[in-house]
Amino acid sequence: MSDQQEFPDNPDDYTEAEHIEHRSTGKGLALPGQNLPDKVYVIPIHNRPFFPAQVLPVIVNEEPWAETLDLVSQSGHHSLALFFMDTPQEDPRHFNTKALPEYGTLVKVHHASRENGKLQFVAQGLSRVRIKTWLKHHRPPYLVEVEYPHQPTEPTDEVKAYGMALINAIKELLPLNPLYSEELKNYLNRFSPNDPSPLTDFAAALTSATGPELQEVLDCVPMLKRMEKVLPMLRKEVEVARLQKEISAEVNRKIGEHQREFFLKEQLKVIQQELGLTKDDRSADLEQFEQRLEGKVLPAQVQKRLEEEMNKLSILETGSPEYAVTRNYLDWTTSVPWGVYGEDKLDLKHARKVLDKHHAGLDDIKDRILEFLAVGAYKGEISGSIVLLVGPPGVGKTSVGKSIAESLGRPFYRFSLGGMRDEAEIKGHRRTYIGAQPGKLVQALKDVEVMNPVIMLDEIDKMGQSYQGDPASALLETLDPEQNVEFLDHYLDLRMDLSKVLFVCTANTLDSIPGPLLDRMEVIRLSGYITEEKVAIAKRHLWPKLLEKAGVSKGSLSISDAALKALIDGYAREAGVRQLEKQMGKLVRKAVMKLIDEPKAVIKLGPKDLEASLGHPVFRNEQVLSGTGVITGLAWTSMGGATLPIEATRIHTLNRGFKLTGQLGDVMKESAEIAYSYVSSHLKSFGGDPKFFDEAFVHLHVPEGATPKDGPSAGVTMASALLSLARNQPPKKGVAMTGELTLTGHVLPIGGVREKVIAARRQKLFELILPEANRGNFEELPDYLKEGITVHFAKRFADVAKVLF
């Protein structure tokens, strides 16, 4: 057989005259029921049965069916029978004739061709066919004698109704699956709609039923039965197609929403670029950075660096890592407010109002801040300066910093140095690191958008040190007005002027601040509040704030001044007001519990109501110890001032000795030794028995042994206790003292005069002995602290002894 076998062209293209001519010569298309051959060759097919209504390509193996097709091409009718086999034979040469179904389809063969071991031809279904006798069945080609089933020509009404139902089902199927539209057009061109048999076969061929199910339709010759089989199959196909369409529609809807948005955005980008309304990512970034620099005054070095980085950005690929690094650098550098300065409000009356509004008391601190502002007002600008606010917790250091910023009309930025161990937090990481960032100061300038904000460095005494560096040393360059004109951040690697920034630092103590750093700061001490100040703060600030936080009206809940005073004395004696706020918060919460049960109640809190809400007072009125060998000293702690009783007693007279207790630090122990030596050697001049200490074993104790105590300021107090013991005479009552004693009897100055005076007032001690060198410190105190207090200033220990004995 040649590669392209000669078969007739598509018979649909013939004219009626040609059809007649072909029929008369026996070569043309045999129409159903006319000139059908009685002997034909058989080829089995395996996918699904072939129906008389179909025109489809068929592919079979060249071996063993090439000879069969050769013989068909030589026959006058060019037809063969296709029979469906559900399970292919292992060897087609040994054919099991019983494996074939009863009916197959007679097809006309067109356009046979051979390629890659396969034979392909277009098969045009003509009629059902049944094998009468096998003429040749031992090996291909298989030849059979066939007969054709007889079908009634006139369809009944029932058949017509089924035909209409099939056509309606096909109409429903078409919109659901457009693949069938071509097949339907092909069918309508070739068959009359009134012919029910091809219609039924065509409807069956449209379905996706299995091969055996379709073979049942082919085997069913009676028209009505065949239609009854096909209609449910077609309805099922319609339902499957509808369900599939719904599922596809839902999936497409979900995908489509995202795709539509994506496509529209992409189209919008392209349209905007075409119209010049927008730029690509790189152009947009560069434009944004250039806009940020408008109105800024850039130093020459910064201008040069920015131009270099922008040129670099313009040639980099947007997807490269280097692009992201450069873009990040430009983002930070252009965010710094180069040369942008805010205008200061240099109005001292306004500043005084702001300070008074936010703070009760602290008059000396307010005066100090106003002096600082006055210098700026006189000069016309406040140049950078470093203020260090030192004081116990809760006295309002942070809020003083905020008030300074508000009174100047400058933006305020606060960050805490507590626990900071990495100097990169201050000066930034170098750009060599992954995830490098500038330091906190650059971040602060970016946020406040001016070069002269108030920056608060909180908890400067709580910085740490680690292998990552020493942040305290990094702060030296930052805070020194001589150096910070050219502050260098490691990330930006550009000099910037911090000299106009007002730094406000806070600390609880000065002990842990390195000397060189402390030397650059102006120290302002906040020493805590006396009871009267705390009452004012509680009434003006804390109580209204707590009521607002709890949503309670002023008419529903109030507290008397006497209750506030009792609250401060019994539960909140610390220097600051944080503990006071906590205890008041507890009172408000307890009151709210009552208001929930009785919404219309009016609660007034008096001194007697405190114990029910807060329990027993934490602080009792300390009994000032008195008697021979007992003296009241004054001490300073990080929490404020405190009274410090010191007791001395003689244990026995068997031998000379001196014992110290009370968890004392080294300096305090030395002070005790000095006091013992001085009093022992000068006992006669102070009117005591010179031999007293030669025979006595003396024990000196500082009560509250669980609390560590240190410092030289108890020297005078210890010497007075020893002198009282040696003279066997109690000291004058109601006197408290402080001062450092030397071996030669001089009284040296001490620190914390304000805190110590406050502590004495709290204990109702109104007669004090202070070193002569501290006279100035005492006279600087506000009048309300000095009121009613008698102070004796001592140069030598003899001055102390005169007052006491």
Side-chain angles (χ1 to χ4, degrees):
M1 177 179 152
S2 62
D3 278 358
Q4 182 67 46
Q5 183 64 50
E6 285 302 320
F7 278 100
D9 295 331
N10 190 339
D12 288 347
D13 299 334
Y14 293 162
T15 65
E16 192 176 349
E18 286 168 326
H19 273 303
I20 294 165
E21 185 192 338
H22 274 68
R23 276 208 306 277
S24 63
T25 59
K27 290 182 180 176
L29 164 67
L31 293 172
Q34 293 178 359
N35 301 334
L36 296 175
D38 53 357
K39 292 176 184 173
V40 290
Y41 290 98
V42 172
I43 291 181
I45 54 175
H46 306 296
N47 290 338
R48 52 192 283 152
F50 200 98
F51 281 92
Q54 288 181 294
V55 178
L56 284 175
V58 175
I59 300 174
V60 292
N61 290 325
E62 187 179 344
E63 179 62 36
W65 306 115
E67 191 181 345
T68 304
L69 278 177
D70 271 342
L71 292 168
V72 169
S73 70
Q74 291 164 22
S75 69
H77 49 74
H78 300 300
S79 303
L80 60 81
L82 295 177
F83 280 82
F84 171 68
M85 287 186 73
D86 193 15
T87 51
Q89 296 285 320
E90 286 183 16
D91 186 359
R93 289 184 178 81
H94 302 289
F95 199 65
N96 180 8
T97 55
K98 291 177 183 176
L100 289 186
E102 185 182 1
Y103 280 96
T105 302
L106 182 74
V107 298
K108 187 97 175 203
V109 176
H110 302 278
H111 302 297
S113 63
R114 176 185 307 193
E115 193 176 339
N116 298 332
K118 299 283 182 186
L119 294 171
Q120 182 172 339
F121 58 91
V122 176
Q124 178 190 2
L126 298 178
S127 171
R128 276 174 176 71
V129 65
R130 185 165 61 184
I131 299 170
K132 249 171 92 178
T133 314
W134 282 86
L135 300 175
K136 185 181 178 191
H137 60 82
H138 296 296
R139 60 183 184 82
Y142 301 118
L143 185 64
V144 292
E145 189 179 341
V146 294
E147 62 181 3
Y148 302 97
H150 173 71
Q151 294 177 359
T153 52
E154 283 297 318
T156 64
D157 290 342
E158 202 175 349
V159 168
K160 282 181 179 175
Y162 264 103
M164 291 298 294
L166 285 172
I167 287 171
N168 287 336
I170 291 170
K171 283 180 180 175
E172 281 185 56
L173 188 59
L174 279 181
L176 298 173
N177 194 339
L179 285 174
Y180 297 133
S181 62
E182 288 304 317
E183 287 192 42
L184 185 64
K185 283 176 191 168
N186 192 12
Y187 164 75
L188 291 174
N189 287 336
R190 294 169 58 243
F191 297 104
S192 160
N194 295 323
D195 189 358
S197 180
L199 172 68
T200 311
D201 290 343
F202 173 70
L206 282 182
T207 67
S208 58
T210 62
E213 286 173 336
L214 292 173
Q215 183 61 45
E216 282 179 29
V217 175
L218 194 62
D219 288 343
C220 188
V221 176
M223 184 55 56
L224 196 58
K225 278 188 178 178
R226 199 191 321 163
M227 284 180 154
E228 285 173 356
K229 280 182 184 293
V230 171
L231 189 58
M233 289 165 69
L234 195 57
R235 295 301 318 170
K236 182 182 174 187
E237 196 67 26
V238 171
E239 290 306 316
V240 169
R242 181 177 286 123
L243 184 61
Q244 191 175 1
K245 189 171 183 183
E246 285 173 9
I247 292 168
S248 298
E250 180 61 23
V251 171
N252 289 339
R253 186 186 64 75
K254 287 179 180 172
I255 294 171
E257 283 174 6
H258 298 298
Q259 282 186 335
R260 182 170 173 275
E261 195 175 316
F262 172 75
F263 287 133
L264 285 173
K265 280 181 180 171
E266 290 301 311
Q267 285 174 335
L268 183 64
K269 273 187 194 174
V270 173
I271 291 164
Q272 286 177 332
Q273 282 176 21
E274 289 295 321
L275 294 173
L277 298 175
T278 186
K279 310 282 190 300
D280 60 4
D281 289 349
R282 187 192 289 109
S283 308
D285 284 341
L286 286 167
E287 200 171 284
Q288 182 192 11
F289 297 145
E290 280 162 7
Q291 279 174 358
R292 279 190 198 166
L293 295 174
E294 285 173 18
K296 293 181 181 176
V297 183
L298 272 65
Q301 176 206 7
V302 175
Q303 182 79 47
K304 185 182 171 192
R305 170 67 67 84
L306 281 176
E307 283 171 7
E308 285 171 5
E309 293 290 333
M310 282 187 177
N311 288 338
K312 184 173 162 187
L313 191 75
S314 64
I315 58 170
L316 285 169
E317 274 301 317
T318 50
S320 71
E322 184 66 16
Y323 181 88
V325 171
T326 307
R327 190 197 172 286
N328 206 27
Y329 176 79
L330 282 168
D331 186 33
W332 276 107
T333 313
T334 54
S335 297
V336 174
W338 303 102
V340 178
Y341 293 94
E343 202 173 320
D344 289 333
K345 286 183 197 165
L346 299 170
D347 179 355
L348 296 183
K349 285 180 184 172
H350 167 72
R352 168 64 81 178
K353 267 187 196 169
V354 170
L355 291 167
D356 285 341
K357 177 182 162 190
H358 293 305
H359 304 279
L362 302 180
D363 289 333
D364 48 341
I365 305 300
K366 290 177 192 170
D367 290 342
R368 176 71 195 77
I369 290 165
L370 287 169
E371 287 165 16
F372 170 72
L373 298 179
V375 173
Y378 188 77
K379 184 182 172 188
E381 65 160 5
I382 293 181
S383 55
S385 150
I386 311 140
V387 178
L388 174 60
L389 303 170
V390 183
V395 294
K397 298 184 292 297
T398 305
S399 51
V400 165
K402 281 184 189 166
S403 300
I404 293 173
E406 193 180 325
S407 59
L408 279 171
R410 286 190 182 190
F412 178 76
Y413 187 92
R414 171 192 169 276
F415 65 91
S416 175
L417 299 171
M420 188 183 285
R421 298 180 303 171
D422 186 356
E423 66 175 46
E425 295 265 351
I426 307 289
K427 300 193 73 176
H429 304 87
R430 297 182 196 282
R431 269 173 80 191
T432 48
Y433 299 129
I434 297 282
Q437 274 200 322
K440 278 273 194 274
L441 291 159
V442 173
Q443 293 178 35
L445 295 176
K446 178 187 174 182
D447 283 5
V448 297
E449 297 177 355
V450 291
M451 292 296 278
N452 60 339
V454 174
I455 294 181
M456 170 162 275
L457 309 174
D458 233 341
E459 315 288 359
I460 201 168
D461 55 331
K462 295 179 183 63
M463 273 187 294
Q465 277 187 15
S466 75
Y467 66 92
Q468 289 155 316
D470 174 13
S473 302
L475 274 179
L476 293 179
E477 182 195 354
T478 312
L479 298 180
D480 189 343
E482 299 300 319
Q483 295 179 50
N484 67 12
V485 178
E486 290 196 329
F487 173 75
L488 182 71
D489 181 271
H490 288 154
Y491 178 79
L492 299 185
D493 200 24
L494 293 168
R495 301 276 173 191
M496 60 176 71
D497 182 3
L498 297 183
S499 62
K500 299 289 188 290
V501 177
L502 175 54
F503 290 101
V504 180
C505 309
T506 71
N508 295 131
T509 63
L510 300 179
D511 309 343
S512 55
I513 303 175
L517 185 58
L518 189 61
D519 184 49
R520 286 164 167 80
M521 300 192 272
E522 222 170 310
V523 179
I524 300 179
R525 287 188 176 275
L526 286 81
S527 21
Y529 304 102
I530 58 171
T531 306
E532 289 78 4
E533 287 175 328
K534 281 190 179 179
V535 170
I537 291 167
K539 277 171 72 176
R540 278 171 49 186
H541 299 289
L542 305 181
W543 188 252
K545 185 169 95 175
L546 289 166
L547 289 183
E548 187 185 342
K549 195 175 174 185
V552 180
S553 67
K554 289 179 183 175
S556 304
L557 179 61
S558 59
I559 186 167
S560 68
D561 287 7
L564 281 175
K565 206 161 182 305
L567 177 66
I568 291 160
D569 283 342
Y571 301 88
R573 277 193 195 175
E574 86 291 2
V577 290
R578 208 164 274 147
Q579 187 64 25
L580 173 60
E581 188 175 359
K582 284 179 191 170
Q583 298 296 345
M584 290 168 79
K586 204 182 278 186
L587 289 176
V588 171
R589 290 196 297 277
K590 299 273 185 190
V592 168
M593 293 282 287
K594 291 178 189 171
L595 288 171
I596 285 174
D597 296 332
E598 302 170 43
K600 293 183 180 176
V602 176
I603 300 173
K604 293 184 177 177
L605 298 173
K608 291 177 183 175
D609 303 319
L610 297 181
E611 213 161 301
S613 297
L614 304 177
H616 288 292
V618 180
F619 300 97
R620 296 174 307 283
N621 277 335
E622 282 178 29
Q623 196 176 350
V624 178
L625 303 177
S626 58
T628 305
V630 180
I631 302 285
T632 303
L634 296 171
W636 178 88
T637 68
S638 63
M639 298 294 283
T643 53
L644 192 73
I646 291 178
E647 305 169 322
T649 185
R650 183 171 65 178
I651 299 173
H652 57 74
T653 56
L654 300 176
N655 61 322
R656 179 189 179 98
F658 182 57
K659 184 178 181 181
L660 268 175
T661 53
Q663 200 173 343
L664 312 180
D666 292 341
V667 177
M668 202 157 180
K669 284 178 185 171
E670 286 172 7
S671 296
E673 296 285 353
I674 290 165
Y676 180 72
S677 301
Y678 177 75
V679 173
S680 301
S681 56
H682 295 82
L683 195 51
K684 189 176 181 183
S685 61
F686 292 124
D689 177 7
K691 293 179 182 173
F692 177 82
F693 286 108
D694 295 342
E695 298 164 358
F697 190 91
V698 175
H699 184 167
L700 186 77
H701 175 63
V702 184
E704 290 186 41
T707 310
K709 295 168 278 285
D710 202 6
S713 62
V716 167
T717 319
M718 290 170 165
S720 302
L722 291 170
L723 182 58
S724 167
L725 178 68
R727 287 177 58 140
N728 197 23
Q729 179 186 353
K732 184 178 181 181
K733 278 191 179 179
V735 178
M737 65 184 71
T738 180
E740 182 180 350
L741 182 68
T742 68
L743 267 179
T744 52
H746 287 88
V747 178
L748 300 184
I750 43 77
V753 171
R754 182 192 168 106
E755 288 88 342
K756 290 174 179 177
V757 171
I758 290 173
R761 282 191 82 92
R762 197 185 293 130
Q763 290 296 89
K764 297 187 171 53
L765 297 169
F766 295 106
E767 194 168 350
L768 306 181
I769 301 173
L770 300 177
E772 175 66 42
N774 287 111
R775 186 188 288 270
N777 299 103
F778 180 77
E779 284 171 359
E780 280 175 9
L781 294 179
D783 292 339
Y784 65 84
L785 279 183
K786 295 189 284 187
E787 190 183 342
I789 288 186
T790 308
V791 180
H792 306 282
F793 294 102
K795 278 186 180 177
R796 298 184 61 84
F797 184 70
D799 303 332
V800 178
K802 273 181 199 169
V803 175
L804 286 178
F805 307 108

